[in-house]
Amino acid sequence: MNYEIVELKEKTIVGFAARTGNEDPQMGAIIGDLWKKLYTPENTEKIHSRVNTYAIGLYSDYDDAGYQVTAGFEVSDAGNADGLAVKTIPAGKYAKFSVHGDMVEAVANSWKEIWETPLERTYTGDFEEYLSNEDIDIYIAIK
């Protein structure tokens, strides 16, 4: 799978979060529930100061048991987060994978390939940025 190396500035994400891991039999349901929660009209309206319309799925706080997943939007000011999860995507170097296709199937298949790609990962924050229903960029934090 092809990718490019990019430098990103820090991003602040506001949304809904939960802990899971690749070995968790409920992983798909947990992540799916976060997206359902994000896209209810009352919850979408709670997220103010959005930088753009792109939804972000952030994987952070990695440990031996798994990671935290946050489904949200990038914001310019998290001051009005009102009980929502606030996470920071650190500035740094990322491997950017551009994916086109069904947002569930294409992303799942891309992650399988990414896990097999030899990258010097930092595990500081990897994320998916949903540009449209069929165009997704996946960013993997690297050294």
Side-chain angles (χ1 to χ4, degrees):
M1 187 170 191
N2 294 328
Y3 62 91
E4 64 179 299
I5 304 299
V6 297
E7 287 281 339
L8 297 180
K9 294 180 181 179
E10 181 178 280
K11 297 176 182 274
T12 302
I13 307 303
V14 172
F16 297 90
R19 275 201 76 73
T20 190
N22 293 351
E23 305 304 318
D24 182 349
Q26 297 299 314
M27 177 189 71
I30 289 168
I31 294 172
D33 286 347
L34 290 175
W35 287 107
K36 286 178 191 170
K37 191 183 279 189
L38 177 68
Y39 279 114
T40 62
E42 64 272 11
N43 286 337
T44 301
E45 292 172 9
K46 287 181 184 178
I47 302 174
H48 305 284
S49 304
R50 284 194 221 164
V51 172
N52 54 42
T53 60
Y54 308 147
I56 290 183
L58 170 64
Y59 304 87
S60 63
D61 303 295
Y62 289 91
D63 61 27
D64 292 338
Y67 44 82
Q68 181 170 327
V69 180
T70 305
F73 294 98
E74 181 182 359
V75 298
S76 58
D77 177 13
N80 295 330
D82 194 27
L84 299 171
V86 178
K87 296 300 292 181
T88 300
I89 298 173
K93 191 185 318 185
Y94 290 80
K96 176 184 172 185
F97 297 82
S98 294
V99 178
H100 181 78
D102 175 77
M103 68 172 52
V104 175
E105 188 176 321
V107 168
N109 290 336
S110 295
W111 274 108
K112 288 175 188 172
E113 289 186 48
I114 290 167
W115 291 327
E116 295 175 6
T117 303
L119 296 169
E120 287 190 79
R121 296 180 65 183
T122 63
Y123 296 95
T124 54
D126 306 315
F127 65 99
E128 305 152 354
E129 187 171 46
Y130 292 84
L131 308 173
S132 72
N133 287 340
E134 293 186 341
D135 292 302
I136 304 103
D137 288 336
I138 301 175
Y139 295 86
I140 307 299
I142 58 174
K143 295 180 182 177

